[in-house]
Amino acid sequence: MELNPLEQALHTARALVMADLSAGDVAEADVVSLVEDAVTHRRWWVEQWPEGVEFVAGLVAQDVQDALLERYGRWPLCPACSAEEEPHALDVEPELGPDPHWVCTKAAVAVAPVGDLGEVLRR
């Protein structure tokens, strides 16, 4: 049985964000709950605006990032800048668009697509 495009986008968004959380060793049970909350919220959102289905991954990543900031602090920390600099979080760009990436706005570089932080952190 094939998933409808909405469910497929939500499952993909969940998987991408979980991959980034796992790469940073922050995929604890309470953090996974934040991901599930974000997916639930975005399910409602995209049901209201079906044309936004291609934006779901970036929005879920931003929602989880915001929830983590409120509870634990900045995530994900920028691996592109030197350790001597003050730690800062990456941002998701585009804020509302397809093909979301984690970017360092300080250095003006794209660090990794959402879901691929592990590739950067393993270097």
Side-chain angles (χ1 to χ4, degrees):
M1 183 173 149
E2 215 173 293
L3 293 176
N4 69 42
L6 165 62
E7 290 303 316
Q8 184 63 48
L10 292 168
H11 285 289
T12 299
R14 178 187 294 111
L16 292 173
V17 173
M18 286 302 302
D20 287 343
L21 289 165
S22 295
D25 293 327
V26 293
E28 303 293 326
D30 56 337
V31 175
V32 173
S33 293
L34 298 176
V35 175
E36 293 305 320
D37 291 346
V39 169
T40 297
H41 172 74
R42 290 304 170 178
R43 175 177 282 112
W44 176 87
W45 179 85
V46 82
E47 285 171 348
Q48 306 308 305
W49 188 47
E51 294 82 14
V53 72
E54 66 183 326
F55 309 149
V56 170
L59 292 169
V60 169
Q62 290 174 46
D63 292 346
V64 171
Q65 184 180 42
D66 291 346
L68 283 169
L69 179 61
E70 289 176 18
R71 293 185 186 191
Y72 303 106
R74 293 172 286 202
W75 175 86
L77 293 179
C78 180
C81 293
S82 71
E84 293 83 41
E85 295 183 49
E86 183 175 333
H88 57 278
L90 298 173
D91 293 324
V92 175
E93 288 188 5
E95 286 187 30
L96 185 61
D99 193 27
H101 280 67
W102 293 109
V103 299
C104 172
T105 55
K106 189 172 186 178
V109 297
V111 174
V114 169
D116 285 342
L117 271 181
E119 295 298 317
V120 174
L121 297 178
R122 285 190 274 276
R123 290 182 197 161

